[in-house]
Amino acid sequence: MQNQSFDFKEICSSEPLGFIKPSSIMDFKDPLVKWIDENTTVVGYLSDDHNSSNPLEDMDGYGFIYTARDQTQEFNSVLGLDQYGSADTDLVSDHPLLRRRWVAAAIEAEEFQVYCQATAGCKEFSDDYYRGRAQRYWRENHDKYTYYSQSAIYDFEFSGRVLRELWSELRADRDKSIGDPDSVVLDCYEHGGCSWSLAGSGNQCRWDTSSGAGVWIPDSEARLEIDRRAKVYTFGFVDFTINEVGEKIWFALIEGQYQKGLKSKSPYFKQWSEAFAWLEQQGQTLKLSALGTKSEQQRYVRVVARRRAAMELAESALTLYNAWVNGDVYGTVVATLNRCNHGSWHVVDSESCWGYYGSEDSYSALRSDFDDVLADYRQRFAPEHCSHWTEPNAAQG
């Protein structure tokens, strides 16, 4: 059978009965077409999914996003902030490190020295004297708080500074007492559309980018995945580049401390999982002792390795979330059309599947669904009939 002409836009404009409306993205993508006989063709295309739901609410393993504008309470809690968006120093008021930091600050603080001089008969004041007074004052007053008399450590002005500095240190160290240690701060760029990104990594427009506008946190499944990846990312990380044909290719790098100051790079892989597996295998021969002491090893896993894993998962979640908030969600449609004697078309069969996020992934899914339908036709028709199927050029008009 000779190639048949097929004008997809013309058929869309005639809207055969039962024909699902194509997405406007099909103005830039070719439909998939296969002729069954001279009057019957199978066509695959994408249609807009107007009833899609937030993928982060429906899918396990992608975590959650809280925005500073719409979920203020949750946003602040995740980051260890108080109701006003400032450091919640109450979270560190009982921390074991606070006593040491407060005593050290008291020795140097002029206001504490003045207090000591005014309440003591000693005429020789030294660091040892101030240290002793500070330790005693802490024992007697650290659990007291009053706004009306100077009987608690918080009545000294420097105490607030010590609390804020300790809060910042523990937050940077991903301490579990300060918010969610696996949280990732996000920026939001809005100009005609909406694009969320890891803080500092997206479009940084001085007018249209809101820094720290949201925060991503893992759900239970994502947290388990962070645990798994962190064990591997202790030894290095996975990254990607774009090859000459525009495809994303993956590779892994081993950290320099395991290679005497040099980084070892893996071959390029088509899949992230392949690069990750390479790094995982290399890690089996490496020793954590290269990171230093036990405490240094633990801190590296907590601050560096887990951070890599969390940011990687957050970025994957943002890919889905950005597609959803911008309406980049589709259904795949594979329709069998029959042309009548007078030239008009009508739908004799149609299969659709909805909820694909992102045009590229959706188009890949369309190809798979299209092949499945053709495979069903091959089972129903004799092989010699199928051998005459052709693929005409789809006129895009």
Side-chain angles (χ1 to χ4, degrees), residues 280-339:
E280 185 175 29
Q281 183 178 23
Q282 298 301 311
Q284 295 175 3
T285 64
L286 303 175
K287 303 295 184 182
L288 285 176
S289 57
L291 298 174
T293 64
K294 285 289 185 181
S295 62
E296 289 173 330
Q297 294 171 26
Q298 293 171 357
R299 187 179 187 278
Y300 194 87
V301 173
R302 182 176 67 252
V303 177
V304 178
R306 289 190 67 86
R307 194 71 185 147
R308 286 172 176 165
M311 293 182 71
E312 195 172 63
L313 290 177
E315 202 158 23
S316 296
L318 289 180
T319 299
L320 290 177
Y321 189 72
N322 282 331
W324 176 66
V325 297
N326 290 291
D328 191 22
V329 189
Y330 307 94
T332 62
V333 181
V334 181
T336 303
L337 302 175
N338 184 259
R339 181 168 50 190

Side-chain angles (χ1 to χ4, degrees), residues 62-66 78 180 182-184 215-219 222-223 314:
Y62 286 97
F64 309 99
I65 290 177
Y66 294 133
V78 165
D180 191 312
D182 294 323
S183 61
V184 178
V215 60
W216 175 89
I217 61 168
D219 56 17
R223 198 147 344 240

Side-chain angles (χ1 to χ4, degrees), residues 70-91:
D70 298 325
Q71 294 105 3
T72 306
Q73 182 176 348
E74 294 87 348
F75 175 87
N76 288 341
S77 177
V78 165
L79 296 180
L81 305 175
D82 60 21
Q83 60 180 322
Y84 305 107
S86 301
D88 188 355
T89 54
D90 287 344
L91 296 173

